Amino acid sequence: MLVSFFKPNQPAPLIAGLPIVALLLWIPGFLKYPLPVSFDNTMPLYDAMVYLTSGVPYFSNIVSLLLVFLQALLLNSIVNKNEMLSPKTNLPALMYILVMSSITELQIMHPVIFANLFVLFAIKRTSTVYLQKTVFSQMFDAGALIAIASFFYFPAIVFFLFIWGSLIITRTFIWREYIIALVGVAVPYVFLSTYYYLWTGDLLGLVQEKFTSELNPANIVLPQLISTHYALVICLLVLLGLSILTMFKVMANSVLRIQYLLKTLVVLLFTGLVAILFDNSRNLQTIALAAIPFAVFTGNYFLHAKRRWLAECILLCLLGFIIFNFFV
């Protein structure tokens, strides 16, 4: 079964099993969306990607699927390298693939897929700050990576709070680290603003077109669900709740460094949920903003499940709800 197959930290599940799972789950997306789908209030780097892939059937699907697969591998590498879960496992990669494939609207070249890649790189940089003497370069890099993520999907800018949250949890207060992280976010925006000003001469138009609507408080709402999504969302929320409870139990028996890292993932989950509120599309695909911590927490739940048969049943139920949503 899936839990037993992906539980060991072996290369075979990642090399052979994970691509098969991802490809099978993405078949509905290939059939339904052979060409890129347009979105409102998109950001410059995403617009560039759409331009490069438009007109070529299935190319955008292939790019998105490869990105999701690579992100799953990167997430799994970060988790195992930092020993966030013990023993090491491939389950976070599996859970990331499942949640990023859970609805067909995510099986397209959605801007959040690109944003998640840079959020993962930011997590990789912040995961190394514990007990280091200076972390100026890590903070600048993490801030810049979050800014680049927002160039694809603007609500991702909220993940800057994750950087500061990581500093609060893992280090004593050094005000320069917070400022450098902020500078890291600002520098890419300075370059973007300069480019728009020199190219179009209308910097105010950029602000009004790309940022104002996203920051409008009137747009802060929960995603609107269709009837067939409720079962899937309830299943995801119940699984997340069980996983968080398990995570806190594991955290209590972990060394201090691991406790800090897991607490930063809680901050990441919170910021992801906040970012969902700023997506004015109001669609369910915004759950991808919380996919990274969700994958780690649920991976830990299945890793430590005492009743293997129950864990397998829960995962099969989740997979069943995902498949059900594809065909209704």
Side-chain angles (χ1 to χ4, degrees):
M1 302 296 282
L2 285 175
V3 174
S4 300
F5 183 67
F6 284 94
K7 186 175 182 178
N9 182 34
Q10 300 294 333
L14 294 181
I15 297 173
L18 200 63
I20 294 174
V21 172
L23 186 58
L24 290 175
L25 288 176
W26 275 59
I27 290 175
F30 276 84
L31 296 177
K32 189 175 181 179
Y33 301 108
L35 292 173
V37 178
S38 61
F39 297 94
D40 296 330
N41 303 317
T42 53
M43 294 295 286
L45 291 185
Y46 177 75
D47 292 339
M49 291 302 302
V50 171
Y51 175 78
L52 292 173
T53 59
S54 61
V56 183
Y58 306 111
F59 184 65
S60 63
N61 305 75
I62 295 171
V63 170
S64 302
L65 177 57
L66 287 175
L67 278 175
V68 169
F69 176 69
L70 292 175
Q71 288 166 23
L73 296 182
L74 177 59
L75 173 61
N76 213 70
S77 173
I78 293 171
V79 171
N80 286 336
K81 184 177 180 179
N82 291 283
E83 299 178 325
M84 294 183 187
L85 304 184
S86 181
K88 296 179 179 180
T89 179
N90 293 322
L91 286 170
L94 172 65
M95 297 310 300
Y96 187 80
I97 289 290
L98 290 182
V99 72
M100 292 296 290
S101 310
S102 57
I103 54 175
T104 53
E105 289 78 11
L106 265 177
Q107 298 176 9
I108 54 177
M109 199 168 68
H110 194 283
V112 74
I113 294 176
F114 295 92
N116 272 3
L117 177 63
F118 292 94
V119 172
L120 278 168
F121 282 126
I123 294 170
K124 186 176 181 180
R125 292 297 284 158
T126 59
S127 65
T128 63
V129 302
Y130 179 62
L131 290 182
Q132 291 201 22
K133 187 175 181 180
T134 59
V135 296
F136 295 154
S137 63
Q138 291 95 321
M139 290 300 100
F140 181 87
D141 292 347
L145 287 165
I146 294 300
I148 295 172
S150 71
F151 289 173
F152 288 98
Y153 184 68
F154 184 66
I157 195 68
V158 176
F159 285 109
F160 174 73
L161 298 175
F162 160 73
I163 301 176
W164 276 5
S166 298
L167 287 174
I168 293 172
I169 291 171
T170 59
R171 297 180 62 80
T172 56
F173 180 76
I174 302 175
W175 65 270
R176 286 175 294 179
E177 295 174 352
Y178 293 80
I179 298 301
I180 288 174
L182 189 60
V183 171
V185 173
V187 167
Y189 273 93
V190 170
F191 281 106
L192 178 67
S193 302
T194 302
Y195 169 79
Y196 262 82
Y197 180 75
L198 294 177
W199 187 259
T200 67
D202 185 15
L203 185 58
L204 182 60
L206 168 68
V207 175
Q208 292 176 339
E209 178 186 358
K210 301 296 184 181
F211 305 133
T212 304
S213 61
E214 296 286 357
L215 295 175
N216 187 350
N219 290 329
I220 301 178
V221 294
L222 293 173
Q224 294 180 348
L225 304 180
I226 61 176
S227 58
T228 55
H229 285 160
Y230 281 102
L232 175 62
V233 171
I234 291 172
C235 182
L236 291 173
L237 290 176
V238 170
L239 180 56
L240 179 61
L242 293 173
S243 301
I244 291 175
L245 292 176
T246 303
M247 182 63 72
F248 281 118
K249 292 179 182 178
V250 171
M251 197 183 300
N253 299 318
S254 302
V255 298
L256 195 59
R257 182 180 68 87
I258 304 302
Q259 290 183 26
Y260 285 162
L261 287 173
L262 295 178
K263 287 178 181 178
T264 61
L265 288 179
V266 175
V267 175
L268 184 67
L269 176 63
F270 173 76
T271 53
L273 295 176
V274 171
I276 289 174
L277 301 179
F278 282 92
D279 186 296
N280 59 17
S281 69
R282 301 177 175 87
N283 293 323
L284 185 59
Q285 57 259 42
T286 54
I287 63 172
L289 289 164
I292 297 170
F294 178 89
V296 180
F297 291 157
T298 54
N300 178 75
Y301 171 76
F302 289 117
L303 179 64
H304 292 281
K306 295 181 179 179
R307 296 179 177 86
R308 183 178 298 179
W309 65 269
L310 180 60
E312 297 285 3
C313 289
I314 292 174
L315 189 57
L316 286 177
C317 285
L318 174 60
L319 189 59
F321 283 126
I322 292 173
I323 295 173
F324 174 77
N325 273 278
F326 291 160
F327 299 102
V328 294

